[in-house]
Amino acid sequence: MELAHGTPRPLWSISGHKDVIKSIVFLLGGEHVITCSWDHTIRVWDTTTGEEDGTPMEHDDWVNDIAITKDGKRIVSVSDDGWVRVWEVETHELLKGWKDNGDMIYSISIAPDDELLASGSRAGTIIIREAESGEVEHSLSTDDWVWSLCFSPNGGKIASGH
């Protein structure tokens, strides 16, 4: 969208998902955006043409949230299928994944240093894991579904919306 003169106007529209787009993030440089959808896919789009770049990455259920590593090389996605998955941006290859607590996962956040991932579920749990190995560092319980998560700028705190 162009924000000149205070009037936004679309430069292009995404037309490849077959269901609700749940999250969208820009890659470094702004030449691509990544989207995830309830059609079970994650897609990469060229912001100059609006065309899809490569093939979709897939989960077995609704994809609820995505996050991008600081270097822009990895996508982390979470889904109603209970998986946290890590994808390579350039090839769309699945690099690794972890089954969380067996419940639907609604939110994901990456620490500013890319060392930790936090996922939030319908069961009200927040699981903080080491990004490389997947080893669980902390598990927290809330009293409701965890819809959103965000690490503080120094990575020492995490905020949750539930």
Side-chain angles (χ1 to χ4, degrees):
M1 300 190 88
E2 186 174 319
L3 300 177
H5 303 89
T7 306
R9 65 178 181 85
L11 296 177
W12 50 266
S13 297
I14 293 172
S15 60
H17 285 292
K18 296 177 180 26
D19 208 331
V20 173
I21 294 174
K22 284 294 293 171
S23 186
I24 185 167
V25 294
F26 272 96
L27 283 178
L28 292 174
E31 296 170 2
H32 291 88
V33 294
I34 313 289
T35 56
C36 70
S37 170
W38 282 355
D39 69 4
H40 306 192
T41 67
I42 300 119
R43 297 171 188 257
V44 179
W45 306 90
D46 183 310
T47 60
T48 59
T49 66
E51 297 293 317
E52 186 172 357
D53 186 9
T55 58
M57 295 154 271
E58 297 185 21
H59 275 266
D60 294 328
D61 209 332
W62 291 355
V63 185
N64 294 313
D65 201 8
I66 50 177
I68 305 296
T69 56
K70 185 169 57 174
D71 63 8
K73 294 182 179 181
R74 304 281 185 267
I75 302 165
V76 182
S77 60
V78 294
S79 170
D80 273 12
D81 63 13
W83 281 88
V84 175
R85 292 192 169 140
V86 180
W87 311 86
E88 184 174 286
V89 169
E90 190 173 319
T91 65
H92 301 194
E93 177 185 347
L94 177 61
L95 300 174
K96 53 189 148 194
W98 306 281
K99 186 79 167 173
D100 243 5
N101 59 11
D103 203 1
M104 300 170 185
I105 308 172
Y106 291 151
S107 53
I108 187 73
S109 184
I110 304 173
D113 62 5
D114 288 342
E115 297 288 322
L116 298 174
L117 306 173
S119 59
S121 75
R122 183 178 76 164
T125 58
I126 299 169
I127 295 178
I128 301 171
R129 64 178 73 242
E130 202 278 325
E132 190 59 36
S133 70
E135 182 179 329
V136 174
E137 297 286 321
H138 304 282
S139 182
L140 311 166
S141 293
T142 71
D143 58 355
D144 207 348
W145 301 2
V146 182
W147 291 105
S148 59
L149 291 168
C150 183
F151 278 96
S152 63
N154 71 2
K157 297 178 184 176
I158 190 161
S160 65
H162 52 86

